Amino acid sequence: MQSHFLIITGMSGAGKTQVVRTLEDLNFFCIDNLPATLIPKFAELCRQTSEEKVALVVDIRGGRFFDKLLQVLDEMEASELLFLDASDATLVRRYKETRRRHPLGERNTLLKNITCERELLDPLREKATHIIDTSTLTTAQLKAKVTEMF
């Protein structure tokens, strides 16, 4: 069986948690919020232990470590990058429904944080091997799409 090393990133509120749950159901070994600087060491450990299906979530919650993700991706071989996106209106609605705080904090408005996050993530979106826009997807549709992909 071919080894699968998947890195998941994207907009906060776009469905990364749902994707991880689906991948766990597909027997992926999943880790959420691993600092980007640890990814190469972790990937090497996975190769040594013959872990065949691995998924890592790396996003802006990683703070200063997140900035290293582009560099890490350039250095790594045989990894896929899944980027989850959604429209600004969808993200605002989801945040209001869940009443969660955006990871960039409360100094700015929610929409300003979403805009700032989108700018920070744009280079990763451009490098992505897979992009899923979850704006119009139900949880079941997202699960089906991820299952089909992986």
Side-chain angles (χ1 to χ4, degrees), residues 106-131:
E106 297 175 354
R107 288 181 300 184
N108 295 313
T109 65
L110 176 57
L111 193 54
K112 175 87 172 145
N113 282 341
I114 290 170
T115 301
C116 182
E117 181 182 22
R118 194 172 296 287
E119 289 170 6
L120 289 169
L121 295 178
D122 193 49
L124 288 170
R125 191 179 199 286
E126 290 178 19
K127 283 186 101 46
T129 50
H130 309 282
I131 298 173

Side-chain angles (χ1 to χ4, degrees), residues 4-54:
H4 224 120
F5 198 87
L6 176 64
I7 297 174
I8 304 161
T9 193
M11 296 297 295
S12 300
K16 292 184 296 285
T17 300
Q18 296 303 321
V19 168
V20 166
R21 288 180 182 150
T22 301
L23 291 171
E24 286 173 340
D25 290 345
L26 297 172
N27 296 316
F28 272 76
F29 177 74
C30 299
I31 294 184
D32 191 7
N33 209 13
L34 185 71
T37 53
L38 296 178
I39 293 173
K41 289 182 185 358
F42 180 74
E44 181 58 34
L45 284 172
C46 290
R47 280 190 288 277
Q48 290 173 6
T49 60
S50 301
E51 191 67 51
E52 293 176 343
K53 293 163 67 173
V54 177

Side-chain angles (χ1 to χ4, degrees), residues 70-119:
L70 274 172
Q71 177 185 340
V72 166
L73 290 173
D74 286 340
E75 294 168 0
M76 287 187 60
E77 298 173 14
S79 63
E80 294 180 76
L81 180 62
L82 170 60
F83 189 95
L84 294 170
D85 205 350
S87 69
D88 290 355
T90 299
L91 295 172
V92 167
R93 179 180 48 80
R94 289 176 183 169
Y95 268 97
K96 288 185 176 179
E97 287 172 357
T98 62
R99 298 182 180 194
R100 294 187 63 206
R101 187 176 69 85
H102 191 277
L104 291 179
E106 297 175 354
R107 288 181 300 184
N108 295 313
T109 65
L110 176 57
L111 193 54
K112 175 87 172 145
N113 282 341
I114 290 170
T115 301
C116 182
E117 181 182 22
R118 194 172 296 287
E119 289 170 6

Side-chain angles (χ1 to χ4, degrees), residues 22 26 132 138-150:
T22 301
L26 297 172
I132 300 175
T138 64
T139 301
Q141 289 170 326
L142 177 57
K143 182 175 183 168
K145 190 171 195 85
V146 170
T147 300
E148 181 183 313
M149 289 173 101
F150 303 105

